[in-house]
Amino acid sequence: MKHAYADTAEGQVHYVTEGSGEPLLLIPHTPRSWTYSRHLIPLMARHRTVIAMDTLGFGGSDEAEPGFRIEDYAQNVVHFLEELGLSRTDIWGTVTGACIATEVAAGWPSRVRRLVLMEMPFFITPEERASRIEVYRSETPGTPREDGSHCIDAWRMALSGYDREDETVGLPEEGFQTVTDHTLDLLKAGRRWTEMAIKVHSYDKAPRLARIDAPTLVIGLSEDSPHPYLKRAPEVQALVPNSRLAIVDGGLLSVTYGARADKLSQIVLEFLMPDGG
């Protein structure tokens, strides 16, 4: 993989790229960086030019300006694509990335050929949304503590998402890399994790989903968070005019490595093919 930076009006954006062929932009969830897709990128790069960006404020990218909204992150994606000389691309966004990708597709439809939205957070009522936002404001995940205990908490949180058939067996080398990547992203994000989570949950995506013209694949995960707002892929798909739904076995981290990553990449690649519907 090649690492690079793109200069945009909003700041430098770090990204990695691999492969050849039609471009596919990956936008990760908060507080992850390109490393979330470390094992998926080579699978997708067999058929595509994969570009995995770090959202402003996370990974190796510059921090966003105060007051940045989801619409502003979408504008930054457009500027990023312009800097790379790409007038049109496929986009795959996950959670936060799905919200940003939705806004790109709704606001700049000519920029998006096909769209993949994975684990889009979706609220049914304003009360449900407000309740979740209040949780983030009170818990303040990612806040550093002087005794360093937040480092252990970050490792434990990352480890809890790594799926092992036998918990008595130690982590394989791939597992240590995956959990380490996750932990470093958590620690580097710090309080920005909380700030971005509030922005994502405050963003009213329903009217924007209805404005998407691009063929869209909505992906839900079978083993993810118990939070109901992350389990509403059918409701999201119902709002997108030209869309299809796929429920994939796994959780937000476990679908990125091993056999589950192979299956997920196959589903997405089939959709992105010219005759993918």
Side-chain angles (χ1 to χ4, degrees), residues 1 16 18 26 34 37-45 50 52:
M1 289 176 224
V16 301
E18 183 174 349
L26 307 183
W34 72 270
S37 302
R38 180 189 294 276
H39 304 295
L40 283 168
I41 292 170
L43 299 173
M44 304 299 294
V50 180

Side-chain angles (χ1 to χ4, degrees), residues 90-158:
D90 296 325
I91 301 181
W92 178 356
T94 301
V95 192
T96 304
C99 295
I100 296 171
T102 291
E103 191 58 35
V104 174
W108 294 267
S110 65
R111 293 283 185 178
V112 183
R113 192 188 77 94
R114 287 178 181 260
L115 183 66
V116 179
L117 304 176
M118 190 165 84
E119 284 295 85
M120 167 77 82
F122 192 80
F123 296 94
I124 299 297
T125 66
E127 293 76 17
E128 183 185 40
R129 182 196 307 276
S131 175
R132 188 58 197 167
I133 290 173
E134 186 57 36
V135 169
Y136 272 103
R137 285 180 173 147
S138 61
E139 290 184 352
T140 60
T143 301
R145 294 188 289 273
E146 187 174 345
D147 63 0
S149 58
H150 64 289
C151 299
I152 297 297
D153 288 347
W155 176 266
R156 288 173 175 164
M157 179 178 291

